[in-house]
Amino acid sequence: MAHRHVRNRAGIDPDGSPFPILNSVDMIPVDQRTEELQLLGDTLNERLHYIPGGFLFKESGHDRRDANYFGRSA
């Protein structure tokens, strides 16, 4: 079993000017979980080896962007 929690917050200046025309902040929280199960064995006098198994991956999260135009929230 593995678990990963990521919280990313990044400021962006998409207009590229030195003035506060358009600024935004992206917030991306994500949770991931994985599980794996394997069963190893052999049969037919050890002539057949097998490894059946399963893998589960679950991810939840969302993207959010807060934007400001000329210093005011949009």
Side-chain angles (χ1 to χ4, degrees):
M1 179 177 153
H3 177 252
R4 183 172 94 154
H5 179 75
V6 177
R7 294 185 76 151
N8 184 25
R9 182 179 170 105
I12 300 171
D13 184 12
D15 64 72
S17 73
F19 306 106
I21 297 171
L22 174 60
N23 293 305
S24 66
V25 175
D26 289 347
M27 292 167 278
I28 307 169
V30 177
D31 276 312
Q32 295 177 339
R33 294 185 185 273
T34 59
E35 305 241 4
E36 184 174 8
L37 175 68
Q38 291 184 348
L39 303 172
L40 289 81
D42 54 56
T43 187
L44 301 174
N45 293 327
E46 296 186 2
R47 291 183 296 174
L48 176 64
H49 303 283
Y50 57 88
I51 307 174
F55 182 80
L56 172 71
F57 175 80
K58 182 178 180 182
E59 179 178 71
S60 62
H62 64 276
D63 295 350
R64 179 179 160 191
R65 175 173 285 174
D66 292 335
N68 291 314
Y69 298 94
F70 299 104
R72 303 186 111 180
S73 294

